Amino acid sequence: MKLTDNVLRSFRVAKVFRENTDKINCFDFCSNGEAIISSSDDDSLVLYDCQEGKPKRTLYSKKYGVDLIRYTHAANTVVYSSNKIDDTIRYLSLHDNKYIRYFPGHNKRVTSLSMSPVDDTFISGSLDKTIRLWDLRSPNCQGLMHLQGKPVCSFDPEGLIFAAGINSEMVKLYDLRSFDKGPFATFKLPYDPTCEWTGLKFSNDGKLILLSTNGGALRILDAFKGAVLHSFGGYNNSKGVTLEASFTPDSQFVMIGSEDGKIHVWNAESGMKVALLDGKHTGPITCLQFNPKFMTFASACSNMAFWLPTIDD
């Protein structure tokens, strides 16, 4: 089944889960699309089965809190940042709920966490104005970059380069093998004093970069030239909430939630608005991602919603 404008417009909430007592701050699908794990400000990690459409387990990180959760490539393991006590990143086995390793180094809140799509490398960006490069097999930082401002960062789909959005005004591209030599490309963007960049993502085809903000606008850049291809607005975000924006897996569409529980979808190539979906969320939709393998997506406030299309086009 192909994702088209009509299929996207037909999506409806199929299931709502009320497992959390506070907002869901992050979730991540595993690479085969069969499971999703969420982290919440109530210090819980909830594991959902996407095929059966139900929660499977709840784990807790009461002492350190949990944010920015990411699956690793090993089955049943995740890394996540802490939002209490310290800013150490933790590597957890879901199988027996035991920590495998800690990654200390950041001394302010971690705001970006990106797992390499090809190996055990991951990168983290922090309010301490650094990006750190890690390997799951070692607690020692493998690389450290001091920046001129707060970063958002992500690997590209091939895991060869990573992008850093710095100070909400420039995007720098680094070769993973020689990042210490500095960026091989720098794109300067018009600075918008009304909002800060809160997320950076590549499209799966590697051609586009999506910059999300805590304001009312998203931008899509050409990943090779740095030109702003589209700016998307018209969704509600008056309180400066961090709203997650995402590409669909085919790189054709961009979607974001809003503070009024609605989801806005645009065509990434034409820039045209394709759909406005009502998730009936009780709070701002802070998390939104399409399943990497199946025709479904998830959105979250303090509740988690699974969506399915209602036509086969």
Side-chain angles (χ1 to χ4, degrees), residues 152 165 171 189 197 199-201 209-213 217-221:
V152 286
V171 174
L189 275 68
W197 296 353
L200 183 155
K201 292 183 181 180
I209 291 173
L210 176 61
L211 288 168
S212 46
T213 71
L218 300 172
R219 286 185 189 142
I220 292 188
L221 312 186

Side-chain angles (χ1 to χ4, degrees), residues 7 17 63 75 80 132 146 186 199-200 204 242 256 258 272 283 306 310:
V7 170
F17 306 100
K63 185 175 177 185
Y80 65 82
R132 287 177 179 265
H146 291 277
T186 298
L200 183 155
N204 276 348
T242 297
I256 191 170
S258 61
M272 297 293 290
F306 286 1
T310 52

Side-chain angles (χ1 to χ4, degrees), residues 19-290:
E19 304 296 304
N20 296 99
T21 57
D22 206 336
K23 85 162 187 188
I24 294 169
N25 53 39
C26 189
F27 63 63
D28 194 35
F29 283 100
C30 63
S31 57
N32 64 14
E34 292 175 6
I36 184 172
I37 192 163
S38 68
S39 56
S40 166
D41 287 356
D42 65 11
D43 305 332
S44 71
L45 300 77
V46 183
L47 187 62
Y48 297 87
D49 185 315
C50 293
Q51 291 174 306
E52 293 182 18
K54 64 182 188 188
K56 281 198 344 198
R57 295 175 66 196
T58 300
L59 306 173
Y60 291 95
S61 180
K62 290 281 189 200
K63 185 175 177 185
Y64 303 108
V66 54
D67 198 357
L68 297 180
I69 195 155
R70 302 281 183 264
Y71 274 105
T72 70
H73 300 293
N76 271 332
T77 59
V78 291
V79 288
Y80 65 82
S81 63
S82 322
N83 54 17
K84 296 199 301 201
I85 297 192
D86 63 18
D87 301 287
T88 297
I89 297 164
R90 293 180 160 75
Y91 181 22
L92 178 71
S93 164
L94 301 173
H95 170 67
D96 50 8
N97 195 23
K98 287 196 166 65
Y99 291 116
I100 302 168
R101 198 159 283 117
Y102 301 109
F103 304 97
H106 287 300
N107 55 31
K108 286 189 177 167
R109 189 166 66 87
V110 175
T111 51
S112 273
L113 200 54
S114 177
M115 194 75 216
S116 163
V118 294
D119 60 22
D120 284 340
T121 311
F122 67 98
I123 52 174
S124 57
S126 162
L127 295 181
D128 63 16
K129 299 182 181 176
T130 65
I131 288 176
R132 287 177 179 265
L133 183 68
W134 310 88
D135 186 304
L136 284 174
R137 293 162 295 193
S138 165
N140 303 322
C141 179
Q142 306 293 301
L144 172 61
M145 298 161 51
H146 291 277
L147 307 164
Q148 300 304 301
K150 294 188 296 194
V152 286
C153 55
S154 177
F155 279 101
D156 81 317
E158 291 174 340
L160 298 173
I161 69 167
F162 63 89
I166 300 163
N167 246 7
S168 304
E169 60 182 345
M170 64 182 79
V171 174
K172 293 176 184 270
L173 302 182
Y174 295 86
D175 186 313
L176 190 62
R177 290 156 303 192
S178 57
F179 69 89
D180 49 341
K181 296 186 173 64
F184 65 83
T186 298
F187 310 135
K188 188 113 169 51
L189 275 68
Y191 181 65
D192 180 353
T194 64
C195 61
E196 292 184 345
W197 296 353
T198 53
L200 183 155
K201 292 183 181 180
F202 281 88
S203 56
N204 276 348
D205 62 9
K207 294 176 181 173
L208 303 172
I209 291 173
L210 176 61
L211 288 168
S212 46
T213 71
N214 60 1
L218 300 172
R219 286 185 189 142
I220 292 188
L221 312 186
D222 179 311
F224 301 102
K225 302 192 182 93
V228 177
L229 302 177
H230 299 292
S231 288
F232 299 127
Y235 56 92
N236 289 339
N237 188 16
S238 62
K239 297 186 179 72
V241 178
T242 297
L243 302 171
E244 181 177 24
S246 292
F247 286 105
T248 50
D250 60 7
S251 306
Q252 299 302 304
F253 301 95
V254 169
M255 50 205 308
I256 191 170
S258 61
E259 67 182 8
D260 57 10
K262 293 187 171 60
I263 291 170
H264 300 250
V265 188
W266 296 269
N267 183 301
E269 190 176 0
S270 71
M272 297 293 290
K273 192 159 212 180
V274 172
L276 178 61
L277 307 169
D278 191 352
K280 307 269 193 307
H281 277 282
T282 54
I285 299 176
T286 43
C287 307
L288 176 67
Q289 283 175 41
F290 218 94

